[in-house]
Amino acid sequence: MVKRNLLASIVSLSFFAVAATALAHHSANSQFDTSKEFILTGVLTELEEINPHSQWHVDVTAADGTVTSWKLEGVSPNNLRKAGIRVKDDLKIGGTYSFTVAPSRDGSHIAFLKAVNVNGRVVQMIQL
């Protein structure tokens, strides 16, 4: 009887742990309009290699000189490497890059990073 209760408890806890992890990760489609994309060109001011998504901070200067700060949500640090980006070698804080992004559904200056032009080559990170 004790073994059966212990087994039931372990199975229940395992189920809840898996369910919580699945719920914590969201689809890009929920926050971003992945059916649209545009190119942002700007200065990389910060790159946070954190899980589950890297965070890219980019300052974009308009024709009139005003600067708008953007936050781009990218793939995980491991997937950056799989895509062929060596962060410490290929990217420089203060460097100018072109980013293919999907806009935020709420119109904010947050976008989902799909590709980046690094040293003349386009690195596709994700196909949505």
Side-chain angles (χ1 to χ4, degrees):
M1 179 84 160
V2 171
K3 285 184 181 181
R4 183 178 295 167
N5 287 341
L6 180 61
L7 180 61
S9 296
I10 290 171
V11 169
S12 295
L13 288 173
S14 298
F15 171 76
F16 288 121
V18 170
T21 302
L23 288 173
H25 194 263
H26 58 275
S27 166
N29 292 325
S30 65
Q31 185 177 358
F32 306 100
D33 186 349
T34 57
S35 67
K36 297 177 183 172
E37 67 180 36
F38 64 96
I39 303 219
L40 274 178
T41 299
V43 175
L44 182 64
T45 59
E46 183 180 2
L47 173 55
E48 299 174 75
E49 290 186 85
I50 54 177
N51 281 315
H53 301 282
S54 56
Q55 303 291 320
W56 303 59
H57 300 268
V58 179
D59 283 347
V60 177
T61 304
D64 66 1
T66 58
V67 176
T68 304
S69 295
W70 283 79
K71 183 171 125 182
L72 311 180
E73 185 174 302
V75 296
S76 70
N78 189 44
N79 284 335
L80 287 175
R81 287 182 271 294
K82 285 181 182 178
I85 294 180
R86 296 179 320 267
V87 172
K88 292 183 177 160
D89 296 330
D90 293 334
L91 300 168
K92 304 293 181 221
I93 300 300
T96 300
Y97 302 96
S98 292
F99 305 91
T100 303
V101 299
S104 175
R105 290 192 181 277
D106 67 6
S108 64
H109 293 121
I110 300 173
F112 192 80
L113 180 58
K114 297 170 87 174
V116 61
N117 190 322
V118 178
N119 300 327
R121 69 184 168 100
V122 175
V123 179
Q124 187 76 35
M125 294 192 207
I126 194 162
Q127 191 73 29
L128 297 174

